[in-house]
Structures are given as structure tokens and as C-alpha cells.
């Protein structure tokens, strides 16, 4: 149970450092994207620490491209 708490604390500390550093330099857009990427990485790390099943990235890609791929494949097969 200590792992997720430490991860959250380090993520918050890193987010505050990113927020201040990019704010001082006027990089407001970069500040937002950095925090978004940090949040996504922290959520994935929490899911791994909690032993949640995370699908393989190739499964995600095939799930996204399947609606595009199937009609094209059917169109190609009909033409032959």
C-alpha cells in the first residue's frame, strides 16, 4: 500500500516543479502538455502497482484501426 502513496507524492512534487519552471519561462502550453503526460504515466504506473490488467499497445491500435481496416479489406476482396 505504500507504493501508490509514494508514487502519488512524487508525481505531485514533479508536477509542482514542472508548473513553476515552465510558468517562469512563459511556456504555458508546454506546461499543460507536460502535466498531461505526467498524469497519464502516473495513472499507468498506479494501474501496474494495483495489478490491474493493462492491454498490450498493439491491441489498442488494432481496436482503433479495426473499423477502418474491415471495410477496406472487404472492398479489396470483392474487387478480386
Amino acid at each position: 500500500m505504500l507504493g501508490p502513496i509514494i508514487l502519488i507524492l512524487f508525481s505531485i512534487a514533479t508536477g509542482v516543479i514542472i508548473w513553476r519552471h515552465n510558468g517562469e519561462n512563459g511556456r504555458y502550453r508546454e506546461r499543460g502538455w507536460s502535466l498531461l503526460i505526467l498524469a497519464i504515466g502516473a495513472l499507468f504506473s498506479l494501474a501496474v502497482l494495483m495489478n490491474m490488467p493493462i492491454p498490450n499497445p498493439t491491441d489498442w491500435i488494432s481496436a482503433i484501426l479495426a473499423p477502418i481496416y474491415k471495410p477496406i479489406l472487404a472492398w479489396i476482396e470483392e474487387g478480386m
Side-chain angles (χ1 to χ4, degrees):
M1 186 63 191
L2 190 60
I5 294 171
I6 291 173
L7 177 71
I8 291 171
L9 290 176
F10 275 113
S11 297
I12 290 172
T14 304
V16 168
I17 292 169
I18 290 171
W19 186 266
R20 287 184 183 165
H21 178 70
N22 287 335
E24 291 171 358
N25 295 333
R27 300 179 185 161
Y28 300 111
R29 185 182 300 170
E30 189 172 311
R31 176 171 63 179
W33 282 110
S34 299
L35 291 178
L36 178 70
I37 293 169
L38 175 67
I40 291 170
L43 288 174
F44 275 125
S45 297
L46 279 173
V48 168
L49 285 173
M50 295 181 173
N51 296 325
M52 298 174 85
I54 298 175
N56 194 355
T58 55
D59 295 338
W60 295 359
I61 293 170
S62 64
I64 291 170
L65 295 179
I68 299 169
Y69 174 76
K70 289 180 182 177
I72 293 173
L73 183 63
W75 176 62
I76 291 173
E77 288 178 349
E78 287 178 8
M80 293 182 160

